[in-house]
C-alpha cells in the first residue's frame, strides 16, 4: 500500500518539477531550472520521509529507512540517464553552434570583401576613363551644349556673311546701274566727235577753195579732224572696257548670289537631333545621379546590417558559456545522484548548494553578461 | 493714309527675290512716310541664308531710318528657320 502511494505522488511531483525547470530553462535560466528540479525532488523525498514517519505505526524504523533508500536509488537510477542525455544534447548544441558561427563569420567576411569590390566596380563605371572626378554624363552634357552653341554661332556667322554679301551686291549694283549713263555720255562724245569731224571736213573744203590763203587753215582743219578721230577711238575703247566691266559685274552678282544662298534647313534638323540627344543625356545624367545616391545609401545600409550580424554573432560566446554551465551542472548533478547510496541526502544538498554558489561567484567576477537575455542588453559590453 | 507697309513674300524666299525685295523696301524707306514695315510670311515655305541676310540688312536700314520692322504669319519650316537664326530677336512678331 505504501509502495503504490509512493509511485503515484512521486511521479506527479517529478512531472511538476520537470515542468517548472523546463519553463525556467525556456526563460534562459537553465541552471536555476536544474537546481529547482533537484532541490524540489530532494525536498519532496524529505517531506515524504516525514509523512512516512507519521504514518509508520506498524513497521520498524530500519525497515522504513531501508525502503526509502531503495526508493531514492530507484529514482536516481531513472534520473541519471535522463540528465546524461540532456548533457549530451547540450554538448551537441555547443558543437553545432560553434561550427555554425564560424561558418557565418567566414561568410560575413566574404560578404564584406565582395561588397567592397562591388562598390569599386560601380565607381569605375560612373567615373570617366581618364580618372578625373567628373562623371561621363556631365561631360556628354557639356559636349552637347557646346555643339549646340557652335551651331548657333555657325548660323549667326552665315547670316552675317549673307547680309554683308547682300550689302556688297547692292553697292556693286549701284555701279552697274550707273553704267548706262556713262555709256550715254560716251555716245554723246561720239556724236560730238563725228560732228567735229564733219565740221573739220567742211573747213578743209572751204580752205581748199580759198587757195594759197587758206593753206594754213587747211592744216588746222586736218589737225581738228585727227583729234576728232582720236576722241572717237578713245570713246570706243572706254565703251569696250565698260562692257567688259558690266559682264564682270554680272558674273560677280551671280557668284555672290550663290555664296549668299546657303540652304540652312539641314541645320534645323541637326539642332533638333542635338536637342533630342541632349535631353536624353540630361535624363540619363539625372538618373545616374539618383542611382549613385541610392547605391551609396544601399552600401551604407549593407555595411550596417553586416555589422549588426557580426555583432549578433558575438553573443555566441555568451550562449556558449551558458550552455557550458548548464552542461557542467547536469554533469555534476548526475554524478552525485549516482553516488546517492553512499552519501547522505543533506551532504548532497549542501554540495549542490556550494557548487552553485561557486559558479555564481565565478561568473560575476568574470564580468560576462551572462544575465543578458537579449542582444540589446549586451550591446554596451561588446562595443 | 496708313503708315504701315506690308511686303508679301513669295513661297520660295531666296536670292531670286533679291531684286524686288531690296528695291521694294528701299522705296518705302526713301518715301519717309511709312513707320512700320511688315514682312508677310504666310505664303513662305522655304527660305535660305540669302533671305536671312536680306532680312538682317533690311532691319538695319529700317532701324537707321526710324522704321519698325515686323514678321507676320510665319509657320512650319520657315518659322523654325527664323527662330534658329534668332530673327525673332531683331524683328517684332505679329
Amino acid at each position: 500500500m505504501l509502495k503504490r502511494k509512493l509511485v503515484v505522488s512521486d511521479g506527479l511531483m517529478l512531472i511538476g518539477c520537470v515542468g517548472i525547470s523546463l519553463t525556467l530553462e525556456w526563460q534562459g535560466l537553465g541552471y536555476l531550472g536544474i537546481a529547482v528540479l533537484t532541490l524540489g525532488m530532494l525536498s519532496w523525498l524529505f517531506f515524504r520521509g516525514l509523512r512516512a514517519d507519521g504514518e509508520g505505526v506498524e513497521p520498524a524504523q530500519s525497515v522504513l529507512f531501508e525502503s526509502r533508500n531503495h526508493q531514492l536509488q530507484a529514482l536516481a537510477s531513472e534520473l541519471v540517464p535522463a540528465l546524461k542525455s540532456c548533457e549530451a544534447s547540450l554538448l551537441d548544441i555547443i558543437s553545432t553552434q560553434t561550427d555554425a558561427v564560424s561558418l557565418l563569420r567566414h561568410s560575413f567576411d566574404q560578404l564584406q570583401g565582395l561588397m567592397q569590390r562591388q562598390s569599386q566596380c560601380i565607381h569605375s563605371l560612373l567615373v570617366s576613363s581618364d580618372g578625373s572626378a567628373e562623371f561621363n554624363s556631365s561631360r556628354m552634357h557639356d559636349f552637347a551644349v557646346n555643339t549646340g552653341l557652335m551651331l548657333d554661332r555657325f548660323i549667326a556667322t552665315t547670316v552675317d556673311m549673307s547680309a554683308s554679301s547682300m550689302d556688297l551686291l547692292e553697292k556693286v549694283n549701284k555701279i552697274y546701274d550707273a553704267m548706262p549713263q556713262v555709256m550715254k555720255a560716251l555716245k554723246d562724245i561720239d556724236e560730238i566727235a563725228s560732228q567735229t569731224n564733219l565740221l573739220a571736213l567742211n573747213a578743209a573744203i572751204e580752205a581748199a577753195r580759198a587757195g594759197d590763203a587758206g593753206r594754213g587753215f587747211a592744216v588746222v582743219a586736218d589737225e581738228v579732224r585727227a583729234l576728232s578721230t582720236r576722241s572717237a577711238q578713245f570713246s570706243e575703247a572706254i565703251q569696250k572696257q565698260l562692257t567688259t566691266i558690266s559682264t564682270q559685274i554680272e558674273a560677280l552678282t551671280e557668284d555672290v548670289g550663290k555664296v549668299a544662298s546657303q540652304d540652312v534647313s539641314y541645320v534645323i534638323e541637326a539642332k533638333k537631333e542635338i536637342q533630342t540627344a541632349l535631353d536624353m543625356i540630361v535624363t540619363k545624367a539625372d538618373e545616374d545621379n539618383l542611382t549613385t545616391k541610392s547605391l551609396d545609401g544601399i552600401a551604407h545600409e549593407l555595411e550596417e546590417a553586416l555589422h549588426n550580424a557580426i555583432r549578433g554573432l558575438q553573443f555566441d560566446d555568451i550562449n556558449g558559456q551558458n550552455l557550458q554551465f548548464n552542461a557542467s551542472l547536469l554533469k555534476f548533478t548526475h554524478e552525485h545522484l549516482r553516488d546517492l547510496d553512499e552519501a547522505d541526502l543533506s551532504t548532497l544538498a549542501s554540495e549542490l548548494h556550494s557548487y552553485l554558489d561557486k559558479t555564481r561567484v565565478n561568473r560575476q567576477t568574470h564580468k560576462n553578461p551572462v544575465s543578458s537575455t537579449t542582444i540589446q542588453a549586451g550591446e554596451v559590453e561588446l562595443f | 493714309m496708313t503708315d504701315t507697309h506690308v511686303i508679301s513674300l513669295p513661297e520660295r524666299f531666296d536670292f531670286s527675290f533679291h531684286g524686288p525685295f531690296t528695291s521694294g523696301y528701299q522705296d518705302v524707306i526713301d518715301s519717309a512716310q511709312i513707320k512700320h514695315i511688315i514682312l508677310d510670311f504666310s505664303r513662305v515655305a522655304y527660305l535660305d541664308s540669302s533671305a536671312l541676310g536680306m532680312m538682317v540688312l533690311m532691319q538695319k536700314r529700317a532701324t537707321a531710318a526710324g522704321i519698325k520692322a515686323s514678321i507676320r504669319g510665319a509657320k512650319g519650316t520657315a518659322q523654325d528657320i527664323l527662330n534658329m537664326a534668332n530673327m525673332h530677336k531683331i524683328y517684332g512678331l505679329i
Side-chain angles (χ1 to χ4, degrees):
Chain A
M1 183 193 173
L2 187 68
K3 236 180 188 175
R4 189 180 56 86
K5 267 177 94 180
L6 261 176
V7 170
V8 169
S9 45
D10 277 351
L12 287 173
M13 198 61 199
L14 181 63
I15 289 164
C17 286
V18 166
I20 290 167
S21 68
L22 280 176
T23 314
L24 289 169
E25 184 101 38
W26 185 257
Q27 300 290 326
L29 300 167
Y31 68 91
L32 202 62
I34 304 295
V36 166
L37 170 70
T38 317
L39 286 174
M41 284 317 295
L42 288 174
S43 49
W44 165 251
L45 286 174
F46 184 66
F47 172 68
R48 194 62 204 89
L50 281 182
R51 258 177 63 184
D53 277 350
E55 280 170 12
V57 221
E58 7 123 18
Q61 202 87 346
S62 62
V63 179
L64 262 177
F65 268 127
E66 191 67 29
S67 144
R68 197 188 298 156
N69 236 356
H70 210 75
Q71 288 152 12
L72 275 175
Q73 272 168 21
L75 181 64
S77 68
E78 290 294 322
L79 276 173
V80 167
L83 291 175
K84 265 188 174 171
S85 110
C86 281
E87 190 201 348
S89 302
L90 273 179
L91 290 175
D92 278 354
I93 289 170
I94 291 172
S95 133
T96 319
Q97 183 183 283
T98 312
D99 285 354
V101 164
S102 85
L103 186 66
L104 275 172
R105 279 223 171 91
H106 181 67
S107 300
F108 282 137
D109 283 347
Q110 256 184 333
L111 208 63
Q112 208 154 21
L114 286 172
M115 223 177 69
Q116 277 170 0
R117 271 175 56 198
Q118 193 189 37
S119 331
Q120 280 168 1
C121 286
I122 290 167
H123 188 69
S124 64
L125 205 69
L126 291 171
V127 172
S128 49
S129 49
D130 62 0
S132 70
E134 200 182 2
F135 284 139
N136 273 328
S137 51
S138 68
R139 263 194 185 192
M140 291 303 292
H141 184 278
D142 288 351
F143 173 71
V145 169
N146 284 338
T147 313
L149 285 175
M150 205 188 71
L151 265 181
D152 279 345
R153 280 179 63 188
F154 170 73
I155 291 291
T157 311
T158 308
V159 171
D160 279 352
M161 191 208 72
S162 196
S164 303
S165 303
M166 291 297 153
D167 198 19
L168 182 76
L169 210 60
E170 278 171 32
K171 281 169 183 158
V172 173
N173 273 338
K174 272 180 189 159
I175 298 171
Y176 185 76
D177 290 345
M179 287 297 184
Q181 286 175 327
V182 180
M183 293 295 253
K184 191 178 173 292
L186 286 171
K187 289 259 164 49
D188 287 349
I189 290 171
D190 276 354
E191 191 71 22
I192 290 165
S194 116
Q195 277 176 16
T196 310
N197 193 22
L198 214 66
L199 218 59
L201 193 67
N202 285 337
I205 292 166
E206 291 303 321
R209 207 177 283 169
D212 278 350
R215 192 164 294 160
F217 194 69
V219 172
V220 173
D222 278 350
E223 286 303 312
V224 171
R225 267 191 75 188
L227 279 175
S228 84
T229 310
R230 275 182 67 196
S231 143
Q233 281 170 351
F234 272 131
S235 167
E236 196 183 340
I238 291 170
Q239 280 182 55
K240 266 188 186 166
Q241 287 289 332
L242 280 177
T243 312
T244 315
I245 289 173
S246 287
T247 317
Q248 280 172 350
I249 286 180
E250 276 163 22
L252 179 75
T253 306
E254 200 177 319
D255 288 350
V256 170
K258 275 182 195 162
V259 170
S261 307
Q262 297 293 324
D263 184 11
V264 286
S265 52
Y266 75 92
V267 180
I268 305 246
E269 290 307 311
K271 273 195 93 173
K272 274 180 188 165
E273 273 170 33
I274 286 174
Q275 193 55 49
T276 313
L278 186 67
D279 287 347
M280 275 170 66
I281 286 165
V282 168
T283 313
K284 180 82 177 81
D286 289 349
E287 278 173 9
D288 279 2
N289 210 10
L290 282 177
T291 313
T292 314
K293 273 183 191 158
S294 113
L295 277 175
D296 273 354
I298 289 170
H300 191 73
E301 277 174 39
L302 254 174
E303 206 178 344
E304 209 173 283
L306 217 57
H307 275 147
N308 281 339
I310 290 170
R311 188 158 61 84
L313 278 184
Q314 292 177 359
F315 281 85
D316 151 59
D317 191 38
I318 298 162
N319 286 342
Q321 281 183 42
N322 250 328
L323 290 170
Q324 202 69 55
F325 170 75
N326 286 333
S328 354
L329 186 60
L330 281 173
K331 191 172 165 33
F332 178 86
T333 314
H334 73 67
E335 272 172 2
H336 281 74
L337 277 178
R338 203 186 294 142
D339 303 335
L340 196 60
D341 46 345
E342 287 141 36
D344 192 345
L345 265 185
S346 57
T347 323
L348 195 63
S350 77
E351 270 178 6
L352 188 65
H353 187 75
S354 72
Y355 175 82
L356 286 174
D357 268 355
K358 207 174 86 192
T359 0
R360 198 171 295 126
V361 168
N362 250 348
R363 302 196 139 198
Q364 275 161 3
T365 49
H366 272 83
K367 284 187 180 174
N368 276 327
V370 166
S371 60
S372 316
T373 49
T374 64
I375 287 180
Q376 271 72 23
E379 208 162 341
V380 181
E381 282 89 350
L382 278 160
F383 290 97
Chain B
M1 186 181 162
T2 176
D3 59 355
T4 305
H5 179 78
V6 179
I7 299 177
S8 190
L9 299 166
E11 192 183 336
R12 214 179 148 80
F13 183 20
D14 58 13
F15 188 67
S16 61
F17 193 59
H18 169 244
F21 182 75
T22 308
S23 57
Y25 76 73
Q26 201 57 54
D27 289 348
V28 171
I29 290 173
D30 291 343
S31 76
Q33 287 171 335
I34 300 297
K35 291 281 161 239
H36 191 182
I37 296 178
I38 296 171
L39 298 179
D40 187 357
F41 270 83
S42 50
R43 282 196 296 149
V44 178
Y46 175 84
L47 68 159
D48 66 2
S49 65
S50 66
L52 297 170
M54 287 186 256
M55 284 173 73
V56 170
L57 210 57
M58 188 203 105
Q59 195 272 339
K60 274 183 189 164
R61 289 181 181 168
T63 307
I67 298 171
K68 196 183 159 199
S70 302
I71 293 171
R72 183 172 81 185
K75 56 185 186 293
T77 313
Q79 191 178 26
D80 286 345
I81 293 176
L82 289 175
N83 285 340
M84 179 196 65
N86 286 327
M87 285 298 155
H88 55 283
K89 285 183 184 166
I90 58 171
Y91 275 90
L93 290 177
I94 301 176

